[in-house]
Amino acid sequence: VAQSSSPAAVVINGGHHNTIGGCVIHSSTRSGVALIGGNHNRFVGNDVFDVPGHVISGMCPTDGDTSTCTESNAQNLMPTNNLIGNNHFTQKVRRDFYGGIRLRGIGDRLSHNLAHDASGQYLTPSGPLTMIDSNEIFNTGYSEGDGGVMYSGMSLWGGYGMSYTRNFVHHSLEVPGLHGRGTFYFDGHQQATSNVSLNVAYKAAGRAFLVNGGAKTNITRNLIINSGIGIFNEN
């Protein structure tokens, strides 16, 4: 159970090889779960809903006790290698703009999750070496201009070796009159996103893949159906 200074209802701070599984976390004024500072922790088979944020992984909290937390960054390149898998994330009553999942570690994996119904961006991963595979995300972005369903804006080192594979993203909404959105959005001259393949974007309004600058982003073998622009590349 979180203390008053904790960033989430459930926190693993600095541990390794721990598992949180089979839980229901909901109706909290804090994020659902935070995996901060440790490595090889697992958050699997859980239901999380009606929280301001669903998962924080691999980062030091900005609003809590950081005494036992070591942040992964370009200087220390501390791997976290956490797994967030086979979970259900949604909002039933709350309509916070940024619900969703923040991955800020190195080598984290987000796999086989179902995430839906968020008014803004659902997944904001960093890196490097973050793996995002086999997830389904739908009905997002219905009050947002700009941004994306999966939005990664770390430049230079942050995007290196990141992988987006076998994800199914559908019914990504775009509000008329607001700035256009992307489904897979690599922003701010992010570098070297090495593998964006075998994804399906169905009814992805705006731009299914949006590359705003950066080098060596490899987008291959994806299926885009009934969407706006397939791949939008801006230098």
Side-chain angles (χ1 to χ4, degrees), residues 40-144:
H40 293 92
N41 294 305
R42 302 167 72 244
F43 186 70
V44 293
N46 302 282
D47 289 283
V48 186
F49 60 93
D50 289 342
V51 290
H54 292 82
V55 175
I56 303 170
S57 176
M59 63 171 289
C60 289
T62 58
D63 56 352
D65 181 10
T66 62
S67 60
T68 61
C69 177
T70 302
E71 184 173 3
S72 298
N73 56 47
Q75 283 71 45
N76 61 39
L77 293 177
M78 183 71 68
T80 49
N81 294 329
N82 295 315
L83 171 65
I84 298 97
N86 196 34
N87 301 289
H88 181 201
F89 303 113
T90 190
Q91 302 288 68
K92 295 182 178 180
V93 177
R94 293 188 63 142
R95 290 295 181 261
D96 295 82
F97 185 71
Y98 288 97
I101 301 158
R102 289 186 291 164
L103 303 180
R104 295 293 186 271
I106 295 176
D108 285 351
R109 184 182 181 193
L110 183 79
S111 180
H112 291 89
N113 299 282
L114 173 63
H116 58 95
D117 293 298
S119 61
Q121 303 181 120
Y122 220 112
L123 176 62
T124 53
S126 178
L129 304 176
T130 298
M131 296 165 285
I132 300 161
D133 68 275
S134 308
N135 301 285
E136 180 181 355
I137 304 179
F138 67 92
N139 193 30
T140 65
Y142 45 79
S143 67
E144 178 185 43

Side-chain angles (χ1 to χ4, degrees), residues 120-199:
Q121 303 181 120
Y122 220 112
L123 176 62
T124 53
S126 178
L129 304 176
T130 298
M131 296 165 285
I132 300 161
D133 68 275
S134 308
N135 301 285
E136 180 181 355
I137 304 179
F138 67 92
N139 193 30
T140 65
Y142 45 79
S143 67
E144 178 185 43
D146 205 354
V149 180
M150 299 185 181
Y151 176 89
S152 183
M154 290 286 289
S155 62
L156 301 180
W157 74 279
Y160 179 81
M162 290 181 67
S163 176
Y164 296 74
T165 60
R166 296 179 174 85
N167 298 287
F168 179 32
V169 184
H170 58 99
H171 295 89
S172 167
L173 306 181
E174 187 166 289
V175 180
L178 297 183
H179 192 285
R181 303 180 70 246
T183 298
F184 298 82
Y185 190 173
F186 310 111
D187 196 11
H189 299 275
Q190 176 169 299
Q191 303 280 324
T193 305
S194 62
N195 183 13
V196 186
S197 66
L198 304 176
N199 300 286

